[in-house]
Amino acid sequence: MRAIFLGAPGTGKGTQAQYLALKYSIPQISTGDILRKAVQDGTELGKKARVIMESGQLVSDDIIIGLVKERIDQDDCKNGYLFDGFPRTIKQAESLDAMLGDRETLDVVVYFDVAEQEIIKRLTSRRVCGQCGNVYSTIYNPPPASGICEKCGGKVIHRDDDTVETVKNRLAVYEQNTAPLKAYYERQGKLRVVDGGLPVEQVRENIDAIFAEEKTYR
Ligand code: AMP
């Protein structure tokens, strides 16, 4: 199964990807997580990416495409993978098509549809484990009072780019660069839309049904 979770930041892609990757035993590939790790480790890539990420802009296509190429060549990607936060531009989508070539196909692109007001509420209330990426929300699913993730013991943090100002910027960047991918994958006949405004369990069930259908028809 090779799938993409497409949608604005804060629409639930990461939360759902975590669950489905586990269920289908395929890796979740989050370019945001790869970049955050590089920032944490203070690598050359991390130094370049940090300022861009803090401002809510996109890291260059060449860097992202290089990272993804390297990642999908690894052994654990043989049976598929689930992209979360990639591709984010038409150029990235075209490069992915070229990487897959004629031998491999992308099975499905799940588009998460959520109203903008809800996205802003979710992102500004979001807290994440800096170690395992587990997602909390001060409104819907508060982190433990200790500030320690109950899954892995890591520290729960407020991401630098989840502030009101940066969130607005990220949404504008999304509209301009990433939203056109919806039509791109619709033309390829791969797009499936889920209502990401529904409760987490309901969205999960709906995506489960889409994946089950894809498996049947493959
Ligand atoms: P995310 O965790 O997916 O919201 O990504 C956090 C930040 O990392 C984004 O706001 C971008 O600055 C950068 N980033 C992540 N994925 C990509 C991508 N595919 N293309 C360009 N920039 C990215």
Side-chain angles (χ1 to χ4, degrees):
M1 175 68 78
R2 293 185 195 87
I4 291 173
F5 280 3
L6 179 68
T11 49
K13 303 183 301 292
T15 303
Q16 300 294 344
Q18 252 182 10
Y19 162 79
L20 280 140
L22 207 65
K23 174 160 179 179
Y24 285 85
S25 303
I26 50 176
Q28 167 191 6
I29 304 181
S30 158
T31 39
D33 283 349
I34 297 174
L35 293 169
R36 273 185 291 279
K37 170 96 176 38
V39 171
Q40 240 175 28
D41 294 349
T43 63
E44 277 310 307
L45 166 66
K47 282 181 200 150
K48 273 193 210 152
R50 191 176 64 84
V51 186
I52 301 171
M53 292 172 78
E54 274 174 10
S55 69
Q57 298 297 317
L58 295 183
V59 172
S60 82
D61 285 334
D62 289 346
I63 291 183
I64 297 289
I65 291 161
L67 285 179
V68 168
K69 246 189 200 143
E70 203 175 286
R71 182 65 188 89
I72 64 176
D73 269 348
Q74 288 171 14
D75 272 355
D76 63 337
C77 290
K78 290 233 157 60
N79 294 324
Y81 36 78
L82 213 168
F83 283 122
D84 145 28
F86 172 87
R88 257 174 155 103
T89 63
I90 294 282
K91 185 167 174 205
Q92 292 179 16
E94 287 172 348
S95 298
L96 177 63
D97 284 343
M99 277 180 232
L100 295 173
D102 298 330
R103 280 176 304 135
E104 296 175 334
T105 51
L106 193 61
D107 296 296
V108 65
V109 178
V110 179
Y111 173 75
F112 288 63
D113 194 19
V114 180
E116 182 167 315
Q117 274 314 309
E118 174 65 16
I119 293 179
I120 293 174
K121 193 165 132 192
R122 284 188 190 177
L123 283 180
T124 50
S125 68
R126 177 162 76 176
R127 301 292 182 271
V128 292
C129 172
Q131 197 162 292
C132 73
N134 197 26
V135 181
Y136 296 94
S137 157
T138 54
I139 301 173
Y140 303 108
N141 168 33
S146 61
I148 299 297
C149 173
E150 62 232 318
K151 269 197 180 165
C152 76
K155 196 166 160 219
V156 178
I157 56 160
H158 186 187
R159 271 171 52 172
D160 291 335
D161 58 351
D162 278 347
T163 56
V164 179
E165 267 322 299
T166 310
V167 163
K168 287 197 176 145
N169 202 10
R170 286 162 72 199
L171 289 177
V173 167
Y174 170 80
E175 269 315 312
Q176 188 171 352
N177 299 282
T178 313
L181 290 180
K182 206 182 155 198
Y184 180 90
Y185 287 118
E186 207 158 26
R187 280 195 296 276
Q188 290 192 0
K190 303 219 161 119
L191 194 81
R192 304 290 299 267
V193 179
V194 292
D195 179 354
L198 295 173
V200 178
E201 298 73 24
Q202 186 65 56
V203 178
R204 178 180 295 173
E205 274 176 32
N206 293 347
I207 300 175
D208 255 338
I210 291 172
F211 272 43
E213 240 177 73
E214 289 300 325
K215 270 187 85 177
T216 314
Y217 292 126
R218 267 195 304 156

